[in-house]
Amino acid sequence: MPKGKSISWPRLPFLYFAFLLILVVMGSMVVFALERVSILNARTVLIQQSGERSQVLHRMRDAVRERFIRLNLITLSEDPFLLDELRIAFDLFASRFMVAREQIDGYSFRTSQEMALFEELRGMTTHGSPILQAVLDAALANDHIQARTLLIEQAMPVQMGVMTQMDQIFEYYDAQNSRSIAAMEQELLQTQQAIWILAFIQVLLVLLISGWVIQRTRLQHNEMRQEIRLRQRSEQALRRAKDELEQRVEERTSELNRFKSTLDRTLDCVFMFDAREMVFFYVNEGSLRQVGYSQDELLGMHAYDIKPDIDETKFRALVAPLLSGERPSLTFETVHQHKQGQLIPVEIFLQYMAPEGEPARFVAIVRDISERKRIERMKNEFISTVSHELRTPLTSISGALGLIAGGALGELSPQANSMIAIAYKNSQRLGYLINDLLDMEKLMAGKIRFDLCVQPLQPLLEQAIQDNRAYADQFNVRLRLSHGAGKAQVRVDAQRLHQVLTNLISNAAKFSPEDAEVVISASSDKNSVCVAVRDRGPGIPAEFHERIFQKFSQADASDTRQKGGSGLGLAISRELMERMGGRIGFDSTPGKGSIFYIELALHAGDKQG
């Protein structure tokens, strides 16, 4: 083209044609490069898959080897403690082996050779698992000869075969990776040549691309202006959403403040404390009034600091069932000590909470029961007064009725005899009730003296059964001692233990059907002996289980109940057992009878090693 002349319009189509031709060449080179990159990516993926499968196979190999080593140690070891630890380790590596095998089972194999190698490995491990289990079972059964025989003759050849098969798979992957790497090097060389050609062509296209970039920049500028307008509208929407969110947060905060204000002004005391350190982190106003400390003082104290009867050790033992999940909540009575020193009787409902993502904590709702205790003292004083005032005249009445029923005043008419017998029986029942009331009063006041001494349990059981046979005969019920206490010796008050056994045996006889049998049995372990009384009566309703050992508690408390009783026997029995260092409990299924049992500590000379 002559210097100083511009490009004429007719030449423009040639420029366009050259541009298109260059684009076609460029496109061809790009397609070639992309194809090469795709091939390289595919080969890279194959190598990565081989590496991943090799890693899984290595983990499987390690698990197989370690499991076999643990199996050898289990077979050779005769230490029960070490055996248990080795068995746990064996199970751990067995689980790792199964995880690796399940992962391998999910593979889709690329070649028939790879599939054949893994099928052979799968068959070997499937065949070997029962053998290893047989060796383990023999070792755990202390049949060490059989375990070693199976290990050497069967398990070891399978183990060697598995290892050999894994080595073949590793060799297959190594060979396959070597071929893939060689092919990738050749393809990288060809790709490098194509890139050099592409770079040369790019120099030719700089001017044309520059024009395209300018045009594209203008388009992007327009798009950015449009995007700015869209963002402005989005920011307005976000501001509106933020305002709405702030309004909801404010409403929620108001609700929480209202809830906290209500909780703060609750008359019952509410304490919240950390489950690990047992330090208060919340107390309401009722709590401050009850113990007299300020909020800052209480928030630096432990939950047991205000309980003079419970130290840290006792308190942690008390809440242990809540921490272990054995019980959802706990209700108990104790005393709180005011800052000025006075003691306040309280009833505490304690609950453990461990929400996900939050620190575990305890919530205690505490109620002042001073008024209830005062009323209970008044009731006990009233019962004591009435009991003492009634006992003397009732003894006279019962004695007079007994003399009349025995014929001291001559023979009476049948109707008179029947009425006298009813009156005499009811006077005796009233006497039993008064005696129970007095026993309970003495127990609660600590006035009953216990003569604790070590003595054999078997004679006490036999005496209690013999003394209650006449009572059981009234209900046509048989008493049987199925398992005696042997030579077991316990430290008890014989008279008080006889009172407990009499209560349990008489209750079982009273609630048994006619011609039934009450079975008394004793069993012991290395530290304690348990005496159980089983009946085949109607059982105890589930809703009555929590109250059965409370005073004046009866499952049938109606005026028309068929079985008499004061409702004090089991409460007295529990108090007597606790004061003798034992405990009383029961198991019952409605319609199938009940088992009441007592547990006592064996004397040191009778404890089994």
Side-chain angles (χ1 to χ4, degrees), residues 438-492:
L438 293 176
D439 284 345
M440 178 57 70
E441 178 203 359
K442 292 177 181 178
L443 279 170
M444 299 307 294
K447 297 179 181 179
I448 290 184
R449 178 178 175 273
F450 285 83
D451 185 14
L452 300 177
C453 60
V454 178
Q455 51 193 306
L457 179 60
Q458 181 67 19
L460 300 179
L461 295 180
E462 295 173 351
Q463 184 65 42
I465 294 172
Q466 183 62 33
D467 291 348
N468 284 277
R469 287 194 187 280
Y471 182 81
D473 290 341
Q474 299 177 18
F475 301 96
N476 196 20
V477 173
R478 301 182 303 278
L479 304 180
R480 179 170 65 89
L481 179 63
S482 65
H483 298 289
K487 298 180 180 181
Q489 295 192 16
V490 291
R491 186 172 182 270
V492 295

Short mmCIF file of all heavy atoms in Angstrom, two decimals, residues 438-492:
data_model
loop_
_atom_site.label_atom_id
_atom_site.label_comp_id
_atom_site.label_asym_id
_atom_site.label_seq_id
_atom_site.Cartn_x
_atom_site.Cartn_y
_atom_site.Cartn_z
N LEU A 438 -47.00 -44.17 118.22
CA LEU A 438 -45.98 -43.90 119.21
C LEU A 438 -44.59 -44.31 118.71
O LEU A 438 -43.60 -43.62 118.96
CB LEU A 438 -46.31 -44.63 120.52
CG LEU A 438 -47.57 -44.12 121.25
CD1 LEU A 438 -47.86 -44.98 122.47
CD2 LEU A 438 -47.40 -42.65 121.65
N ASP A 439 -44.53 -45.45 117.99
CA ASP A 439 -43.24 -45.87 117.44
C ASP A 439 -42.72 -44.85 116.43
O ASP A 439 -41.53 -44.51 116.42
CB ASP A 439 -43.37 -47.24 116.76
CG ASP A 439 -43.44 -48.37 117.78
OD1 ASP A 439 -43.11 -48.12 118.96
OD2 ASP A 439 -43.83 -49.49 117.40
N MET A 440 -43.62 -44.37 115.58
CA MET A 440 -43.20 -43.40 114.58
C MET A 440 -42.74 -42.11 115.24
O MET A 440 -41.74 -41.49 114.84
CB MET A 440 -44.34 -43.13 113.60
CG MET A 440 -44.00 -42.08 112.53
SD MET A 440 -42.53 -42.50 111.56
CE MET A 440 -43.15 -43.88 110.61
N GLU A 441 -43.47 -41.70 116.30
CA GLU A 441 -43.08 -40.48 117.01
C GLU A 441 -41.70 -40.64 117.64
O GLU A 441 -40.84 -39.75 117.55
CB GLU A 441 -44.11 -40.17 118.10
CG GLU A 441 -43.75 -38.94 118.92
CD GLU A 441 -44.43 -38.94 120.29
OE1 GLU A 441 -45.18 -39.89 120.57
OE2 GLU A 441 -44.16 -38.02 121.07
N LYS A 442 -41.46 -41.80 118.26
CA LYS A 442 -40.16 -42.02 118.89
C LYS A 442 -39.04 -42.07 117.85
O LYS A 442 -37.95 -41.57 118.08
CB LYS A 442 -40.19 -43.32 119.69
CG LYS A 442 -41.09 -43.26 120.93
CD LYS A 442 -41.13 -44.61 121.63
CE LYS A 442 -42.05 -44.58 122.84
NZ LYS A 442 -42.12 -45.90 123.51
N LEU A 443 -39.34 -42.70 116.71
CA LEU A 443 -38.33 -42.77 115.66
C LEU A 443 -37.97 -41.38 115.15
O LEU A 443 -36.78 -41.04 114.97
CB LEU A 443 -38.84 -43.63 114.49
CG LEU A 443 -38.72 -45.14 114.67
CD1 LEU A 443 -39.48 -45.86 113.56
CD2 LEU A 443 -37.26 -45.57 114.67
N MET A 444 -38.99 -40.57 114.87
CA MET A 444 -38.73 -39.24 114.33
C MET A 444 -38.02 -38.37 115.37
O MET A 444 -37.26 -37.47 115.01
CB MET A 444 -40.04 -38.58 113.89
CG MET A 444 -40.77 -39.34 112.79
SD MET A 444 -39.73 -39.70 111.36
CE MET A 444 -39.44 -38.04 110.76
N ALA A 445 -38.28 -38.62 116.66
CA ALA A 445 -37.65 -37.83 117.72
C ALA A 445 -36.30 -38.41 118.15
O ALA A 445 -35.60 -37.82 118.96
CB ALA A 445 -38.58 -37.73 118.93
N GLY A 446 -35.94 -39.60 117.60
CA GLY A 446 -34.68 -40.22 117.97
C GLY A 446 -34.67 -40.78 119.37
O GLY A 446 -33.61 -40.88 120.01
N LYS A 447 -35.84 -41.19 119.90
CA LYS A 447 -35.94 -41.66 121.27
C LYS A 447 -35.86 -43.18 121.39
O LYS A 447 -35.82 -43.71 122.49
CB LYS A 447 -37.25 -41.18 121.90
CG LYS A 447 -37.36 -39.67 122.00
CD LYS A 447 -38.69 -39.27 122.62
CE LYS A 447 -38.82 -37.75 122.71
NZ LYS A 447 -40.13 -37.35 123.28
N ILE A 448 -35.88 -43.90 120.26
CA ILE A 448 -35.81 -45.36 120.32
C ILE A 448 -34.35 -45.78 120.40
O ILE A 448 -33.51 -45.37 119.60
CB ILE A 448 -36.49 -45.99 119.09
CG1 ILE A 448 -38.00 -45.78 119.16
CG2 ILE A 448 -36.18 -47.48 119.00
CD1 ILE A 448 -38.77 -46.45 118.06
N ARG A 449 -34.05 -46.61 121.35
CA ARG A 449 -32.68 -47.09 121.56
C ARG A 449 -32.50 -48.38 120.75
O ARG A 449 -33.33 -49.27 120.78
CB ARG A 449 -32.44 -47.35 123.05
CG ARG A 449 -31.06 -47.89 123.35
CD ARG A 449 -30.86 -48.07 124.85
NE ARG A 449 -29.59 -48.68 125.17
CZ ARG A 449 -29.40 -50.00 125.22
NH1 ARG A 449 -30.41 -50.83 125.00
NH2 ARG A 449 -28.20 -50.49 125.52
N PHE A 450 -31.39 -48.45 120.05
CA PHE A 450 -31.07 -49.63 119.23
C PHE A 450 -29.92 -50.39 119.88
O PHE A 450 -28.85 -49.81 120.13
CB PHE A 450 -30.69 -49.22 117.81
CG PHE A 450 -31.84 -48.80 116.96
CD1 PHE A 450 -32.34 -47.50 117.03
CD2 PHE A 450 -32.45 -49.69 116.10
CE1 PHE A 450 -33.40 -47.10 116.26
CE2 PHE A 450 -33.52 -49.30 115.32
CZ PHE A 450 -34.00 -48.01 115.40
N ASP A 451 -30.17 -51.67 120.16
CA ASP A 451 -29.15 -52.53 120.74
C ASP A 451 -28.53 -53.34 119.60
O ASP A 451 -28.90 -54.49 119.34
CB ASP A 451 -29.78 -53.45 121.80
CG ASP A 451 -28.72 -54.30 122.51
OD1 ASP A 451 -27.52 -53.96 122.36
OD2 ASP A 451 -29.09 -55.28 123.17
N LEU A 452 -27.57 -52.74 118.91
CA LEU A 452 -26.97 -53.37 117.75
C LEU A 452 -25.87 -54.32 118.18
O LEU A 452 -24.96 -53.94 118.94
CB LEU A 452 -26.39 -52.30 116.80
CG LEU A 452 -27.39 -51.29 116.24
CD1 LEU A 452 -26.66 -50.26 115.38
CD2 LEU A 452 -28.47 -51.98 115.45
N CYS A 453 -25.94 -55.56 117.69
CA CYS A 453 -24.90 -56.53 117.97
C CYS A 453 -24.83 -57.52 116.81
O CYS A 453 -25.80 -57.72 116.08
CB CYS A 453 -25.15 -57.26 119.30
SG CYS A 453 -26.72 -58.17 119.33
N VAL A 454 -23.68 -58.16 116.67
CA VAL A 454 -23.48 -59.12 115.58
C VAL A 454 -24.11 -60.44 115.97
O VAL A 454 -23.85 -60.98 117.06
CB VAL A 454 -21.98 -59.30 115.29
CG1 VAL A 454 -21.78 -60.34 114.20
CG2 VAL A 454 -21.36 -57.97 114.89
N GLN A 455 -24.96 -61.00 115.10
CA GLN A 455 -25.66 -62.25 115.38
C GLN A 455 -26.03 -62.92 114.06
O GLN A 455 -26.15 -62.25 113.03
CB GLN A 455 -26.90 -61.99 116.22
CG GLN A 455 -27.81 -60.90 115.67
CD GLN A 455 -28.83 -60.46 116.70
OE1 GLN A 455 -29.55 -61.29 117.25
NE2 GLN A 455 -28.87 -59.16 116.98
N PRO A 456 -26.23 -64.25 114.09
CA PRO A 456 -26.60 -64.96 112.85
C PRO A 456 -28.00 -64.55 112.40
O PRO A 456 -28.90 -64.34 113.20
CB PRO A 456 -26.53 -66.44 113.25
CG PRO A 456 -26.65 -66.44 114.74
CD PRO A 456 -26.03 -65.17 115.22
N LEU A 457 -28.16 -64.46 111.07
CA LEU A 457 -29.44 -64.02 110.51
C LEU A 457 -30.46 -65.15 110.42
O LEU A 457 -31.66 -64.91 110.56
CB LEU A 457 -29.20 -63.42 109.12
CG LEU A 457 -30.43 -62.92 108.36
CD1 LEU A 457 -31.13 -61.82 109.13
CD2 LEU A 457 -30.02 -62.42 106.98
N GLN A 458 -30.00 -66.39 110.23
CA GLN A 458 -30.93 -67.50 110.00
C GLN A 458 -31.92 -67.69 111.15
O GLN A 458 -33.13 -67.82 110.91
CB GLN A 458 -30.13 -68.79 109.75
CG GLN A 458 -30.98 -70.02 109.46
CD GLN A 458 -31.71 -69.92 108.14
OE1 GLN A 458 -31.34 -69.14 107.29
NE2 GLN A 458 -32.76 -70.70 107.99
N PRO A 459 -31.50 -67.71 112.42
CA PRO A 459 -32.49 -67.87 113.51
C PRO A 459 -33.52 -66.73 113.55
O PRO A 459 -34.68 -66.96 113.89
CB PRO A 459 -31.62 -67.87 114.77
CG PRO A 459 -30.26 -68.29 114.31
CD PRO A 459 -30.12 -67.71 112.94
N LEU A 460 -33.10 -65.53 113.20
CA LEU A 460 -34.05 -64.41 113.20
C LEU A 460 -35.13 -64.62 112.13
O LEU A 460 -36.30 -64.31 112.36
CB LEU A 460 -33.30 -63.11 112.94
CG LEU A 460 -32.21 -62.74 113.97
CD1 LEU A 460 -31.53 -61.44 113.57
CD2 LEU A 460 -32.81 -62.63 115.36
N LEU A 461 -34.72 -65.13 110.95
CA LEU A 461 -35.71 -65.41 109.90
C LEU A 461 -36.69 -66.50 110.35
O LEU A 461 -37.91 -66.37 110.18
CB LEU A 461 -35.01 -65.84 108.62
CG LEU A 461 -34.12 -64.80 107.93
CD1 LEU A 461 -33.51 -65.39 106.67
CD2 LEU A 461 -34.93 -63.56 107.58
N GLU A 462 -36.14 -67.57 110.91
CA GLU A 462 -37.00 -68.69 111.33
C GLU A 462 -37.98 -68.25 112.43
O GLU A 462 -39.16 -68.64 112.42
CB GLU A 462 -36.13 -69.84 111.82
CG GLU A 462 -35.27 -70.46 110.71
CD GLU A 462 -34.29 -71.49 111.24
OE1 GLU A 462 -34.19 -71.59 112.50
OE2 GLU A 462 -33.65 -72.19 110.43
N GLN A 463 -37.49 -67.42 113.37
CA GLN A 463 -38.36 -66.96 114.45
C GLN A 463 -39.48 -66.07 113.91
O GLN A 463 -40.64 -66.18 114.33
CB GLN A 463 -37.53 -66.19 115.49
CG GLN A 463 -38.33 -65.74 116.72
CD GLN A 463 -38.84 -66.91 117.53
OE1 GLN A 463 -38.12 -67.89 117.72
NE2 GLN A 463 -40.08 -66.84 117.99
N ALA A 464 -39.15 -65.17 112.94
CA ALA A 464 -40.17 -64.29 112.36
C ALA A 464 -41.23 -65.10 111.62
O ALA A 464 -42.43 -64.81 111.71
CB ALA A 464 -39.52 -63.28 111.43
N ILE A 465 -40.81 -66.13 110.90
CA ILE A 465 -41.78 -66.96 110.18
C ILE A 465 -42.66 -67.71 111.17
O ILE A 465 -43.90 -67.79 111.00
CB ILE A 465 -41.04 -67.93 109.24
CG1 ILE A 465 -40.33 -67.15 108.13
CG2 ILE A 465 -42.00 -68.95 108.64
CD1 ILE A 465 -39.42 -67.99 107.29
N GLN A 466 -42.05 -68.26 112.21
CA GLN A 466 -42.83 -69.02 113.20
C GLN A 466 -43.84 -68.12 113.90
O GLN A 466 -45.00 -68.51 114.11
CB GLN A 466 -41.87 -69.65 114.22
CG GLN A 466 -42.54 -70.52 115.26
CD GLN A 466 -43.25 -71.72 114.64
OE1 GLN A 466 -42.80 -72.26 113.62
NE2 GLN A 466 -44.36 -72.13 115.22
N ASP A 467 -43.44 -66.89 114.25
CA ASP A 467 -44.35 -65.98 114.98
C ASP A 467 -45.50 -65.49 114.11
O ASP A 467 -46.52 -65.04 114.66
CB ASP A 467 -43.56 -64.79 115.51
CG ASP A 467 -42.59 -65.19 116.61
OD1 ASP A 467 -42.71 -66.33 117.11
OD2 ASP A 467 -41.70 -64.37 116.94
N ASN A 468 -45.39 -65.56 112.80
CA ASN A 468 -46.44 -65.04 111.92
C ASN A 468 -47.29 -66.13 111.30
O ASN A 468 -48.15 -65.84 110.47
CB ASN A 468 -45.81 -64.19 110.82
CG ASN A 468 -45.39 -62.82 111.31
OD1 ASN A 468 -46.19 -61.90 111.41
ND2 ASN A 468 -44.10 -62.70 111.64
N ARG A 469 -47.02 -67.41 111.63
CA ARG A 469 -47.81 -68.49 111.02
C ARG A 469 -49.28 -68.41 111.43
O ARG A 469 -50.19 -68.59 110.61
CB ARG A 469 -47.24 -69.85 111.41
CG ARG A 469 -45.93 -70.18 110.72
CD ARG A 469 -45.58 -71.65 110.89
NE ARG A 469 -44.25 -71.93 110.38
CZ ARG A 469 -43.97 -72.10 109.10
NH1 ARG A 469 -44.95 -72.04 108.21
NH2 ARG A 469 -42.73 -72.35 108.72
N ALA A 470 -49.51 -68.12 112.71
CA ALA A 470 -50.89 -68.05 113.18
C ALA A 470 -51.65 -66.93 112.45
O ALA A 470 -52.81 -67.09 112.07
CB ALA A 470 -50.93 -67.84 114.69
N TYR A 471 -50.98 -65.79 112.25
CA TYR A 471 -51.62 -64.68 111.52
C TYR A 471 -51.91 -65.08 110.09
O TYR A 471 -52.99 -64.79 109.54
CB TYR A 471 -50.72 -63.45 111.57
CG TYR A 471 -51.31 -62.24 110.90
CD1 TYR A 471 -52.24 -61.43 111.56
CD2 TYR A 471 -50.95 -61.91 109.60
CE1 TYR A 471 -52.78 -60.33 110.94
CE2 TYR A 471 -51.49 -60.80 108.97
CZ TYR A 471 -52.41 -60.02 109.64
OH TYR A 471 -52.95 -58.91 109.02
N ALA A 472 -50.97 -65.77 109.45
CA ALA A 472 -51.17 -66.19 108.05
C ALA A 472 -52.28 -67.22 107.95
O ALA A 472 -53.02 -67.25 106.95
CB ALA A 472 -49.87 -66.74 107.48
N ASP A 473 -52.43 -68.08 108.98
CA ASP A 473 -53.49 -69.10 108.94
C ASP A 473 -54.87 -68.47 108.91
O ASP A 473 -55.83 -69.05 108.36
CB ASP A 473 -53.37 -70.01 110.17
CG ASP A 473 -52.13 -70.91 110.09
OD1 ASP A 473 -51.60 -71.08 108.95
OD2 ASP A 473 -51.69 -71.42 111.13
N GLN A 474 -55.01 -67.25 109.46
CA GLN A 474 -56.31 -66.57 109.41
C GLN A 474 -56.75 -66.31 107.97
O GLN A 474 -57.94 -66.25 107.68
CB GLN A 474 -56.24 -65.24 110.17
CG GLN A 474 -55.90 -65.37 111.63
CD GLN A 474 -55.79 -64.01 112.30
OE1 GLN A 474 -56.28 -63.01 111.78
NE2 GLN A 474 -55.15 -63.97 113.47
N PHE A 475 -55.77 -66.13 107.09
CA PHE A 475 -56.08 -65.85 105.68
C PHE A 475 -55.89 -67.09 104.80
O PHE A 475 -55.93 -66.99 103.56
CB PHE A 475 -55.18 -64.73 105.16
CG PHE A 475 -55.30 -63.45 105.92
CD1 PHE A 475 -54.42 -63.15 106.95
CD2 PHE A 475 -56.32 -62.55 105.64
CE1 PHE A 475 -54.52 -61.97 107.66
CE2 PHE A 475 -56.43 -61.36 106.35
CZ PHE A 475 -55.53 -61.08 107.37
N ASN A 476 -55.69 -68.27 105.46
CA ASN A 476 -55.47 -69.53 104.72
C ASN A 476 -54.27 -69.38 103.78
O ASN A 476 -54.32 -69.76 102.61
CB ASN A 476 -56.72 -69.93 103.94
CG ASN A 476 -56.68 -71.38 103.49
OD1 ASN A 476 -55.92 -72.19 104.06
ND2 ASN A 476 -57.44 -71.73 102.47
N VAL A 477 -53.18 -68.81 104.31
CA VAL A 477 -51.95 -68.57 103.53
C VAL A 477 -50.81 -69.32 104.19
O VAL A 477 -50.68 -69.33 105.42
CB VAL A 477 -51.64 -67.05 103.45
CG1 VAL A 477 -50.28 -66.82 102.79
CG2 VAL A 477 -52.73 -66.33 102.67
N ARG A 478 -49.98 -69.97 103.38
CA ARG A 478 -48.83 -70.72 103.88
C ARG A 478 -47.56 -69.86 103.81
O ARG A 478 -47.40 -69.07 102.87
CB ARG A 478 -48.61 -72.00 103.06
CG ARG A 478 -49.81 -72.95 103.08
CD ARG A 478 -49.51 -74.21 102.29
NE ARG A 478 -49.14 -73.91 100.91
CZ ARG A 478 -50.02 -73.67 99.94
NH1 ARG A 478 -51.32 -73.68 100.22
NH2 ARG A 478 -49.62 -73.41 98.71
N LEU A 479 -46.67 -70.03 104.79
CA LEU A 479 -45.38 -69.38 104.81
C LEU A 479 -44.29 -70.41 104.56
O LEU A 479 -44.29 -71.48 105.16
CB LEU A 479 -45.12 -68.68 106.14
CG LEU A 479 -46.17 -67.65 106.60
CD1 LEU A 479 -45.76 -67.05 107.93
CD2 LEU A 479 -46.33 -66.55 105.55
N ARG A 480 -43.34 -70.08 103.66
CA ARG A 480 -42.27 -71.04 103.33
C ARG A 480 -40.94 -70.30 103.18
O ARG A 480 -40.87 -69.26 102.52
CB ARG A 480 -42.60 -71.78 102.03
CG ARG A 480 -41.50 -72.78 101.61
CD ARG A 480 -41.98 -73.65 100.47
NE ARG A 480 -42.21 -72.88 99.26
CZ ARG A 480 -41.27 -72.65 98.35
NH1 ARG A 480 -40.03 -73.09 98.52
NH2 ARG A 480 -41.56 -71.96 97.26
N LEU A 481 -39.91 -70.87 103.80
CA LEU A 481 -38.55 -70.34 103.66
C LEU A 481 -37.85 -71.15 102.57
O LEU A 481 -37.52 -72.31 102.77
CB LEU A 481 -37.80 -70.44 104.99
CG LEU A 481 -36.35 -69.95 104.99
CD1 LEU A 481 -36.29 -68.47 104.67
CD2 LEU A 481 -35.68 -70.25 106.33
N SER A 482 -37.63 -70.52 101.41
CA SER A 482 -37.07 -71.27 100.28
C SER A 482 -35.55 -71.33 100.32
O SER A 482 -34.95 -72.36 100.06
CB SER A 482 -37.53 -70.64 98.96
OG SER A 482 -37.00 -69.33 98.83
N HIS A 483 -34.91 -70.24 100.65
CA HIS A 483 -33.45 -70.19 100.73
C HIS A 483 -33.07 -69.49 102.02
O HIS A 483 -33.41 -68.33 102.22
CB HIS A 483 -32.86 -69.42 99.54
CG HIS A 483 -33.15 -70.05 98.21
ND1 HIS A 483 -32.58 -71.23 97.81
CD2 HIS A 483 -33.98 -69.66 97.22
CE1 HIS A 483 -33.04 -71.54 96.61
NE2 HIS A 483 -33.90 -70.61 96.23
N GLY A 484 -32.37 -70.20 102.89
CA GLY A 484 -31.97 -69.63 104.15
C GLY A 484 -30.76 -68.73 104.02
O GLY A 484 -30.15 -68.61 102.95
N ALA A 485 -30.40 -68.11 105.15
CA ALA A 485 -29.27 -67.19 105.15
C ALA A 485 -27.95 -67.89 105.44
O ALA A 485 -26.90 -67.24 105.48
CB ALA A 485 -29.51 -66.08 106.17
N GLY A 486 -28.00 -69.23 105.70
CA GLY A 486 -26.76 -69.95 105.97
C GLY A 486 -26.11 -69.46 107.25
O GLY A 486 -26.74 -69.27 108.28
N LYS A 487 -24.81 -69.23 107.16
CA LYS A 487 -24.06 -68.78 108.32
C LYS A 487 -23.85 -67.27 108.34
O LYS A 487 -23.00 -66.76 109.08
CB LYS A 487 -22.70 -69.49 108.37
CG LYS A 487 -22.80 -71.01 108.50
CD LYS A 487 -21.40 -71.63 108.53
CE LYS A 487 -21.50 -73.15 108.67
NZ LYS A 487 -20.15 -73.78 108.72
N ALA A 488 -24.58 -66.57 107.52
CA ALA A 488 -24.40 -65.11 107.44
C ALA A 488 -24.70 -64.45 108.77
O ALA A 488 -25.67 -64.78 109.45
CB ALA A 488 -25.31 -64.54 106.36
N GLN A 489 -23.85 -63.50 109.16
CA GLN A 489 -24.03 -62.74 110.39
C GLN A 489 -24.15 -61.26 110.06
O GLN A 489 -23.45 -60.75 109.17
CB GLN A 489 -22.86 -62.97 111.35
CG GLN A 489 -22.77 -64.42 111.84
CD GLN A 489 -21.81 -64.56 113.01
OE1 GLN A 489 -21.45 -63.56 113.63
NE2 GLN A 489 -21.42 -65.78 113.31
N VAL A 490 -25.06 -60.59 110.76
CA VAL A 490 -25.30 -59.17 110.54
C VAL A 490 -25.31 -58.44 111.87
O VAL A 490 -25.55 -59.04 112.93
CB VAL A 490 -26.64 -58.94 109.80
CG1 VAL A 490 -26.57 -59.46 108.37
CG2 VAL A 490 -27.79 -59.61 110.55
N ARG A 491 -25.07 -57.15 111.81
CA ARG A 491 -25.08 -56.32 113.03
C ARG A 491 -26.39 -55.56 113.08
O ARG A 491 -26.59 -54.57 112.38
CB ARG A 491 -23.89 -55.36 113.02
CG ARG A 491 -23.73 -54.56 114.30
CD ARG A 491 -22.42 -53.77 114.28
NE ARG A 491 -22.22 -53.03 115.52
CZ ARG A 491 -22.65 -51.78 115.72
NH1 ARG A 491 -23.27 -51.14 114.74
NH2 ARG A 491 -22.45 -51.18 116.87
N VAL A 492 -27.34 -56.06 113.89
CA VAL A 492 -28.69 -55.49 113.95
C VAL A 492 -29.20 -55.53 115.39
O VAL A 492 -28.61 -56.17 116.27
CB VAL A 492 -29.66 -56.28 113.03
CG1 VAL A 492 -29.27 -56.13 111.58
CG2 VAL A 492 -29.71 -57.75 113.43
#
